[in-house]
Amino acid sequence: MSFVQQTQLAQSFSEPCGPQVLFTHYHRDACMFASPGQTLLAHGVAATLPLVMSGSPAALAGHAAAFLRQASEAGHAGWLIGAIPFLPGAAAHLFIPEHVELAGGGRAALVGGPRPVRTVAARSEPAEAVYEQNVSRALERIADGKLQKVVLSRSLHIQAELDQAELLQTLASRNPLGYTYAIPLPTANGERRSLIGASPELLLARHGNRVISNPLAGSIPHSSDPAEDRQRAENLLRSPKDLHEHALVVEAVAEALRPYCTDLLVPEAPSLLSTPTMWHLSTEVTGTLRDPATTSLELALALHPTPAVGGYPTAEAREFIQAFEGFDRGFFTGLVGWCNAQGDGEWAVTIRCRSRRDSRR
C-alpha cells in the first residue's frame, strides 16, 4: 500500500491558540507534547513508520526522513511524532498524525490539582534488596576501572484509578519549563497503552540552523526549609562526584554534536536548574547546524543514550544494565518528541514517566 493510499484523510492545522485550549481538547487517544515554547496536540494516525524499518539509529533516522518527505509530497504538513526506546535497535513507535493543533507558550497559566488517586496495589521491580545488590556490583566495576558511571533504575508497578487528561494538565502546570507528553502506544494483548510523563531534560532541539541540547546530571531533592534548600543547591554546585558525572555527560554530548555543527558553545561550568522536586546540574550546549538536511531526529539519535541515563563508557554501561537491572526499560529513558518535514523538532529524554495500560476498549 502506498503512502498516499494510507493517508487519504488530509492533515489540517488549527490556528495558534493558548495551551489551555489544547489541554481541554486532549483525550486519551490523542497525542500531546508540550515544551516551554510550544504545545502540540495531535489526533489520529494517518500512517505509522513500519517497525521493520527501525533497525539501527542511523537507519531509523534515514527511514524517518524519507517517510516525512513522502508525507509532504502526499499533501501533508509532515509531522512525525512518537517515542524511541532505550535500547538501540528496539522497535520505535513513530507516526504521522491526521490533524495537529498548535499553541504557543504560557503554560504557567494552566490550573492543575487532580483528585486524590486511589492506589489499589504497588510492587517494585527489582525488589529493594536486589537493587541494593546491583548498586554494589556497579561500585565494584567502577572501583575496578571498568566503568566510570552507570545509571541504575527501578520500575514501580501500580494499579490505580485516575483521570489521564487531569493528570496530564497537572504535570504541565507544575513544571511549565519542562516537557510534558502523552503518546498512545500500539495495543498489546488487548490493552490500550499510553506513555505519559513530564521530563525536565531536553535532549535535542533543532530550529532552523540552531541546535540546542540541555543535559542534566547531578541532582538533589529540594528541602521544605528555605535555608537548607539553598545550602543543598550550593553543595551540589561544589560536589566533586556530581560535577564529575555531569562532565561525563556534557563531554559525550559535545563529542556527538561536533561533526554536525560548524561551531559549538559548551559552557565551562554547569548552572542550577530547579524543578518542583529537585535541583539539577544543567549545561546548555548550543551550535550552528552544518548541513540543513540533518534532521532533529538524526541529531537526537546520535546523542542517545547519553551517560545521564545509561552511563560511561556507553556500551559497557548498557551491557551492565541489561545483565543486572532485572526489567526491560522499553521506552523509559528513551526519547519522546517530534520532527517536521523541515527537519526541525524537539526530543526530550523519557523520564519522570509511566506507561499506562488500560483494558477498557
Side-chain angles (χ1 to χ4, degrees), residues 1-9 70 73-74 76:
M1 179 178 291
S2 70
F3 183 91
V4 176
Q5 289 173 319
Q6 285 179 301
T7 57
Q8 293 178 351
L9 288 175
Q70 291 175 342
E73 292 168 0
H76 295 262

Side-chain angles (χ1 to χ4, degrees), residues 213-303:
S213 181
N214 188 194
L216 308 179
S219 306
I220 192 168
H222 279 298
S223 170
S224 57
D225 177 74
E228 170 64 19
D229 194 50
R230 286 194 300 271
Q231 188 62 54
R232 290 186 181 187
E234 292 171 4
N235 289 344
L236 183 61
L237 276 174
R238 294 193 298 262
S239 166
K241 174 256 188 190
D242 290 291
L243 289 170
H244 172 68
E245 290 188 12
H246 188 81
L248 289 175
V249 179
V250 173
E251 288 168 8
V253 167
E255 183 179 352
L257 286 179
R258 280 194 182 97
Y260 297 96
C261 296
T262 55
D263 59 80
L264 200 68
L265 177 61
V266 184
E268 293 184 0
S271 58
L272 285 171
L273 183 146
S274 177
T275 70
T277 59
M278 303 287 288
W279 286 107
H280 298 281
L281 291 179
S282 166
T283 296
E284 188 173 278
V285 179
T286 59
T288 302
L289 192 63
R290 187 184 304 275
D291 181 356
T294 304
T295 69
S296 63
L297 179 56
E298 181 178 353
L299 293 166
L301 289 170
L303 296 175

Side-chain angles (χ1 to χ4, degrees), residues 64-94:
F67 198 58
L68 278 167
R69 285 195 297 270
Q70 291 175 342
S72 181
E73 292 168 0
H76 295 262
W79 291 76
L80 190 69
I81 301 172
I84 294 167
F86 169 67
L87 290 177
H93 178 55
L94 299 168

Side-chain angles (χ1 to χ4, degrees), residues 29 60 69 90 100 110 128 138 152 169 174 218 233 258 308 349 361:
D29 294 321
L60 175 57
R69 285 195 297 270
V100 172
L110 292 174
E128 184 175 350
L152 294 171
Q169 180 158 319
R174 289 189 66 194
R258 280 194 182 97
V349 181
R361 295 183 182 275

Side-chain angles (χ1 to χ4, degrees), residues 304-322:
H304 175 63
T306 74
V309 294
Y312 189 83
T314 301
E316 288 81 354
R318 185 167 57 233
E319 289 172 3
F320 184 91
I321 289 169
Q322 288 184 267

